[in-house]
Amino acid sequence: MGQKGFWDFEERQQELLNKNKTLKYLNDIIPWELFRDELEGTSKNTEGTVSQ
């Protein structure tokens, strides 16, 4: 693969902006507090695997 040009950078920036808009939209419509207890109840044990 060759060196990335200016337009590659600009396209990548636009992709990131679009993803950010999607994440903001999801953040606005999902009531994250409803999942807090479940997420906080999940922790890593000593082997690094997820346990409940």
Side-chain angles (χ1 to χ4, degrees):
M1 230 173 140
Q3 182 179 3
K4 295 206 181 263
F6 177 78
W7 300 115
D8 295 324
F9 174 78
E10 194 170 83
E11 288 174 14
R12 180 67 179 142
Q13 288 298 103
Q14 187 59 47
E15 289 174 15
L16 291 172
L17 283 173
N18 290 341
K19 288 180 182 180
N20 191 29
K21 289 176 187 176
T22 301
L23 292 175
K24 174 150 180 24
Y25 171 74
L26 290 173
N27 200 35
D28 289 342
I29 65 169
I30 296 174
W32 295 109
E33 289 300 317
L34 293 176
F35 301 102
R36 181 176 296 280
D37 290 337
E38 186 173 340
L39 293 172
E40 288 179 348
T42 303
S43 62
K44 288 188 174 185
N45 64 21
T46 56
E47 286 103 33
T49 57
V50 175
S51 63
Q52 292 182 338

